[in-house]
Amino acid sequence: MKKGVTIKDIAKKLNMSVSTVSKALSNHANISDLTKERVRRLAKDWNYIPNEAARHFKQSKSFTLGVVIPDLIDQFFVAAIRGVEEIAGKHKYQVIIAQSHEDADKEEQIIKNLISNRVDGVIITISKSTNKSDLFTQLEQNGIPVVFLTRSFGQPVFNNVTADNIHAGSLAIDYLYQLGHRRIAHLMGPKMLSTSHQRLEAYKKALEKLKIDFDPQLLREVDFSEEKTHRAMKELLKVKNPPTAFFVFKTYVSLDAINYIKIHHPKLLHKIDIIGFGNLPLIKYLDIKPKASLEENSYEMGLKAASLLMKLINNPTESAPPVSIKIPCELIIH
């Protein structure tokens, strides 16, 4: 049989209408089992492949989701994408994955490309340098819902799925307190990220609960680069009464912090305890580990983000307020 068999070819061979063949292939209740069997047998013999493009056009959907992340090297995003793909597959959706490499300009171009490709929805973890929300507002105004994963804006508020940062901060600071630490520093993420402010708030609330005064000298902002983290560590360890423990925005930053101590203050390696967000699989292979990590359950976050996005795609409601889902964290002691 010729390449590229169509429903019309099958209908002509079986002397049926195109509508009858289409309904038979879709298992329509009004079509008899005998007709369905004849249609399916011929479709199989002729290697018929449904024209998905035509179906998508008819439904005004591309059945494609866009996922934009900073970097696939980060294990957090690898696990999150697995969760997204699981939900997408159940809804017969394809997933386009793109990396911004923490570049806001590249991120903007990716979003524009996704719009051009008519994706039905977008899941995004914004870059550390993203400070404008106009493009995402435009997406939603054009009927393309957006769900922010782990990082978002403070204002305006968008649909988002994040870790329960307040509870996670309490778990980390409480544990460091139990270990005897009273001078606990915080390496904060980039200020433009709402997640950075949530984790700073968690740090302050946990200290307050333990009746430890917040000391601004023990706070430094980092941008995920080794250089900025080393500079922050140098400054903090020069403070008159230096910290003995660190609560860190991200475990990858924790590893840079440990590396700085190893190079410049090796005698402090087993005296300073560090806890960061992200339970990286590679930690078990390290000789010198963070004291603990906060498991963010990124696979679960991916599942929730994709489920929320599918709900928004299938039930568009302009007046609905943004949804915010918080995923519990676990303290993993190394």
Side-chain angles (χ1 to χ4, degrees), residues 48 99 143 275:
Y48 167 72
Q99 303 176 78
I275 298 178

Side-chain angles (χ1 to χ4, degrees), residues 294-308:
L294 289 161
E295 172 58 72
E296 297 175 87
N297 297 305
S298 57
Y299 172 73
E300 178 73 13
M301 291 176 75
L303 289 174
K304 295 292 186 183
S307 297
L308 174 56

Side-chain angles (χ1 to χ4, degrees), residues 12 61 98 151 166 258 298:
K12 183 178 180 180
K61 289 183 179 179
R151 301 181 195 170
I166 300 299
I258 290 171
S298 57

Side-chain angles (χ1 to χ4, degrees), residues 256-269:
D256 285 334
I258 290 171
N259 188 47
Y260 177 84
I261 298 170
K262 186 177 181 179
I263 295 169
H264 300 283
H265 300 276
K267 292 182 179 179
L268 297 178
L269 267 177

Side-chain angles (χ1 to χ4, degrees), residues 121-134:
V122 173
I123 293 172
I124 184 166
T125 300
I126 56 175
S127 78
K128 65 183 182 183
S129 55
T130 301
N131 56 18
K132 294 187 298 183
S133 62
D134 302 3

Side-chain angles (χ1 to χ4, degrees), residues 170 173-174 177-178 181-184 202-215:
S170 180
I173 302 299
D174 283 356
Y177 185 87
Q178 292 170 20
H181 298 288
R182 300 298 181 267
R183 295 286 287 170
I184 304 171
Y203 167 69
K204 289 180 177 179
K205 282 188 173 182
L207 292 178
E208 183 180 7
K209 186 182 72 172
L210 296 169
K211 295 181 168 45
I212 299 175
D213 292 334
F214 167 68
D215 184 350

Side-chain angles (χ1 to χ4, degrees), residues 6 25 33 52 60 68 90 113 115 124 136 170 180 182 188 203 212 220 222 253 257 272 318 332:
T6 68
L25 291 170
D33 289 341
E52 291 298 314
S60 298
V68 187
K90 288 179 180 178
N113 288 340
I115 294 172
I124 184 166
F136 306 107
S170 180
R182 300 298 181 267
M188 175 185 177
Y203 167 69
I212 299 175
R220 290 294 184 281
V222 296
V253 176
I272 292 178
E318 291 183 6
I332 308 298

Side-chain angles (χ1 to χ4, degrees), residues 79-175:
I81 287 170
R82 280 181 47 235
V84 172
E85 289 181 326
E86 180 171 326
I87 297 300
K90 288 179 180 178
H91 290 267
K92 301 188 185 307
Y93 266 71
Q94 300 296 317
V95 179
I96 297 174
I97 301 166
Q99 303 176 78
S100 68
H101 299 291
E102 300 286 8
D103 184 328
D105 292 334
K106 184 174 179 62
E107 179 181 270
E108 181 176 347
Q109 188 56 54
I110 289 169
I111 295 296
K112 289 178 178 177
N113 288 340
L114 290 175
I115 294 172
S116 297
N117 282 283
R118 309 300 301 167
V119 296
D120 294 333
V122 173
I123 293 172
I124 184 166
T125 300
I126 56 175
S127 78
K128 65 183 182 183
S129 55
T130 301
N131 56 18
K132 294 187 298 183
S133 62
D134 302 3
L135 193 59
F136 306 107
T137 301
Q138 182 184 336
L139 270 174
E140 297 202 323
Q141 289 173 344
N142 287 332
I144 303 175
V146 183
V147 174
F148 286 79
L149 179 69
T150 195
R151 301 181 195 170
S152 185
F153 297 96
Q155 292 295 331
V157 177
F158 291 89
N159 296 292
N160 65 86
V161 177
T162 66
D164 187 343
N165 291 300
I166 300 299
H167 180 247
S170 180
L171 289 175
I173 302 299
D174 283 356
Y175 181 60

